[in-house]
Amino acid sequence: MKLITAVVRPEMCQAVKDNLRQAGINGMTITHVYGRGSQAGLRFTTRAGEIIIDELEKTKVEVVLEDEKVDMAIDVIIRSAQTGKPGDGRIIVTPVERFIRIRPEPAPEPVTETAEQ
């Protein structure tokens, strides 16, 4: 199993989610994050001076998949998130040692009482 972590532009998140769902990948974790990559933020010049925004808003999408689905999921994410401009994001694939589902224990069977008549 692998963990795919994709950091994408927030405005591309819905397209990534929809296209992963269409590809049969439903489970994912989405987190809104801030960071910067090689572009090192944005610089704006105004009458008051230069403004530097060095942490940009991004969206992190995490998906755990079987090894045979990883390449397909990467292709879907790239097609969905790519604008061709700096800041499109990154995809990181890491091995998953264990994957454990957290679920409540099954409920005990109800006891039915019979009324004596």
Side-chain angles (χ1 to χ4, degrees):
M1 295 194 94
K2 301 282 193 251
L3 169 64
I4 299 174
T5 303
V7 180
V8 300
R9 295 173 182 268
E11 64 269 20
M12 304 309 284
C13 181
Q14 191 64 48
V16 171
K17 290 185 336 186
D18 292 344
N19 290 325
L20 284 172
R21 191 172 298 120
Q22 286 178 354
I25 300 168
N26 293 311
M28 62 189 78
T29 300
I30 297 171
T31 311
H32 299 288
V33 297
Y34 290 87
R36 65 174 177 220
S38 58
Q39 72 188 89
L42 299 173
R43 294 178 184 269
F44 300 100
T45 304
T46 66
R47 284 185 262 170
E50 188 174 62
I51 299 171
I52 300 171
I53 301 173
D54 57 354
E55 270 89 32
L56 301 175
E57 184 178 354
K58 299 290 181 181
T59 302
K60 181 167 62 170
V61 180
E62 296 173 300
V63 181
V64 176
L65 295 172
E66 297 84 11
D67 291 349
E68 57 272 3
K69 293 183 179 181
V70 170
D71 290 333
M72 180 265 301
I74 290 170
D75 290 340
V76 168
I77 294 168
I78 289 172
R79 280 189 282 110
S80 304
Q82 195 171 53
T83 67
K85 298 176 184 172
D88 277 349
R90 300 273 191 266
I91 299 174
I92 303 160
V93 180
T94 52
V96 174
E97 189 173 317
R98 294 176 72 189
F99 181 83
I100 302 162
R101 292 186 195 274
I102 301 173
R103 290 191 177 140
E105 292 295 317
E109 291 292 320
V111 177
T112 56
E113 295 182 26
T114 55
E116 292 182 26
Q117 295 192 19

